[in-house]
Amino acid sequence: MKSLQGVVLFLCSLFPVLTAAQDLPGVQLETVSSEDIVQEVTLNGTVNALRVSGMSAAVAGLLDEVRVETGDRVDRGDVLVELDDELVTWELAAARAEAEEARSRLEEARRRLREARSVGAGRNIAATEVSARESEVAASEATLARLEAARRQVEVRAGRHRVTAPFDGVVSQRSRDLGEWVTPGDQLLTLVDTDNLRLDFQVPQSFYKRIDDNSRLLVQDDQALSSATIDVLVPVNDPQSRTFLLRAIKPESVKLLPGMSVQAVLRVTTGERGLTVSRDAINRYPEGRTTVWIAEPGDEDTWTVSEKRVRLGTGFEGRVEVTSGLEADQQVVVRGNESLSEGISVRIAERESR
């Protein structure tokens, strides 16, 4: 009985200690780490189509048919516009007939030459006659070649009475309508390639030499960031804004249209290492002071906190470089630091690992 009473008394003596520990403020800690320093810059850009074509006819003519409307999606090779081709159709028929006539005359000339050669020059037919028939064959061949070339020219001209899509895309604008007379160079409609989009950003010139294979471009997509591939850096500086053009390929997951504005974050390495902490560890005061709460181990799984003034460098990926005031492997408070005071004891609510 006495031993049972002793156990009960011992447990009761522990209760105030446990209760006191539970009453301590709960915090989360993080270790000050040493890592490569990354510099970030926010960019504002524009979504541009890789191909935008102002479609026009190669020959003059009367608009006979317009097969598309603004907003229509077309495939490469689809007929968009047709010009009145009645006259050129008759020209083509005449050119084909002349070519057929020349082909028949050539066949007849060749037959007459074979006949003369079979008789034998100098015996039953004069040698000059054989030569004349040979010349006739050569002339007929030349005539056929000339008329075939003329026929192909008319065929090409007839084909140019149709305007076809040079690539898959969307008709963004239609400028002409039925019955209008158009000449070469007159814009009939605008075709935009909406499948191959590029994101164009003007980047400060100081970043040009620092962009390498390790640099990352993150495109804002609602509340998330999507990685985009840097396609090209245009090595021409704008003397007014002191920027250069960075062109990136649109991520498949991001829904954008040509002409839309887009925001991105460019991250480049500085080539230096430094101490970093989470942004949540930083306390900022109205007078410009910045501090962190450092935690030192105490007794019974408790920690003692003290506030330390720090100087900050660049920020990146949710972290901030600390240029002075901290040492590597120190523990700093990243959660629960809103109502701490100097020297109080705290307990670990949940330990974050990095």
Side-chain angles (χ1 to χ4, degrees):
M1 178 63 75
K2 290 183 177 180
S3 61
L4 179 58
Q5 291 177 344
V7 172
V8 171
L9 291 174
F10 176 73
L11 293 176
C12 290
S13 67
L14 289 179
F15 183 75
V17 176
L18 295 174
T19 302
Q22 291 175 351
D23 290 340
L24 295 177
V27 298
Q28 294 177 2
L29 303 182
E30 180 185 86
T31 303
V32 178
S33 62
S34 175
E35 58 185 300
D36 293 331
I37 301 301
V38 175
Q39 185 174 0
E40 286 187 353
V41 59
T42 300
L43 305 174
N44 294 307
T46 304
V47 182
N48 291 316
L50 190 61
R51 294 178 292 187
V52 179
S53 181
M55 307 298 298
S56 61
V59 296
L62 194 68
L63 272 180
D64 186 56
E65 184 178 1
V66 180
R67 298 190 180 184
V68 293
E69 296 291 341
T70 300
D72 286 352
R73 174 169 288 277
V74 298
D75 297 325
R76 180 179 179 179
D78 287 351
V79 177
L80 309 178
V81 173
E82 289 191 44
L83 302 183
D84 181 13
D85 61 353
E86 183 178 5
L87 292 178
V88 75
T89 300
W90 288 113
E91 289 181 26
L92 180 58
R96 288 172 174 169
E98 289 178 353
E100 283 300 319
E101 181 181 359
R103 187 174 288 104
S104 298
R105 288 178 178 175
L106 175 59
E107 290 299 323
E108 177 61 19
R110 286 173 174 170
R111 185 193 66 77
R112 285 166 51 80
L113 178 59
R114 288 195 300 269
E115 184 180 75
R117 286 175 175 172
S118 65
V119 172
R123 294 193 298 273
N124 298 314
I125 190 171
T128 55
E129 178 64 20
V130 175
S131 297
R133 294 186 181 185
E134 290 175 345
S135 298
E136 184 182 358
V137 169
S140 297
E141 289 175 343
T143 299
L144 178 59
R146 175 175 57 81
L147 293 176
E148 281 289 345
R151 177 187 62 80
R152 285 193 291 270
Q153 286 180 347
V154 178
E155 284 181 343
V156 170
R157 189 148 48 88
R160 290 180 178 176
H161 282 65
R162 288 190 177 97
V163 178
T164 59
F167 51 81
D168 298 350
V170 173
V171 177
S172 66
Q173 182 181 7
R174 175 177 150 182
S175 308
R176 296 301 183 94
D177 212 334
L178 296 176
E180 295 189 55
W181 182 266
V182 297
T183 58
D186 291 346
Q187 184 166 321
L188 307 178
L189 48 86
T190 302
L191 184 64
V192 180
D193 182 359
T194 57
D195 295 327
N196 296 290
L197 301 180
R198 294 297 182 266
L199 312 180
D200 290 344
F201 300 94
Q202 292 296 328
V203 183
Q205 61 183 13
S206 58
F207 284 84
Y208 184 76
K209 293 183 178 180
R210 296 163 55 188
I211 297 178
D212 54 24
D213 293 339
N214 296 320
S215 301
R216 297 181 63 198
L217 183 70
L218 302 175
V219 177
Q220 187 75 41
D221 181 21
D222 292 330
Q223 301 301 318
L225 292 175
S226 298
S227 181
T229 301
I230 297 176
D231 186 30
V232 66
L233 306 179
V234 180
V236 178
N237 189 66
D238 185 336
Q240 301 297 324
S241 60
R242 304 299 180 188
T243 59
F244 66 93
L245 175 64
L246 181 151
R247 173 164 286 182
I249 300 173
K250 184 187 77 68
E252 290 292 335
S253 60
V254 180
K255 304 301 181 183
L256 295 171
L257 297 174
M260 293 178 64
S261 63
V262 61
Q263 192 174 68
V265 175
L266 176 63
R267 292 174 178 168
V268 296
T269 58
T270 62
E272 302 175 352
R273 291 184 66 83
L275 300 180
T276 67
V277 296
S278 170
R279 292 184 188 274
D280 295 330
I282 305 299
N283 307 299
R284 301 180 186 272
Y285 293 90
E287 69 272 17
R289 186 164 53 100
T290 54
T291 67
V292 299
W293 287 97
I294 299 175
E296 298 288 346
D299 298 327
E300 301 293 338
D301 294 328
T302 63
W303 297 71
T304 302
V305 297
S306 60
E307 193 171 20
K308 184 67 177 294
R309 189 165 184 170
V310 294
R311 183 174 298 172
L312 305 180
T314 185
F316 59 96
E317 299 183 9
R319 303 193 63 75
V320 181
E321 178 190 15
V322 179
T323 58
S324 66
L326 290 181
E327 297 179 1
D329 299 328
Q330 285 184 308
Q331 299 291 321
V332 295
V333 179
V334 294
R335 291 288 188 277
N337 52 2
E338 300 84 0
S339 58
L340 299 179
S341 57
E342 186 70 23
I344 69 169
S345 296
V346 298
R347 61 181 176 84
I348 304 299
E350 181 181 348
R351 186 69 174 273
E352 287 189 338
S353 60
R354 293 190 66 249

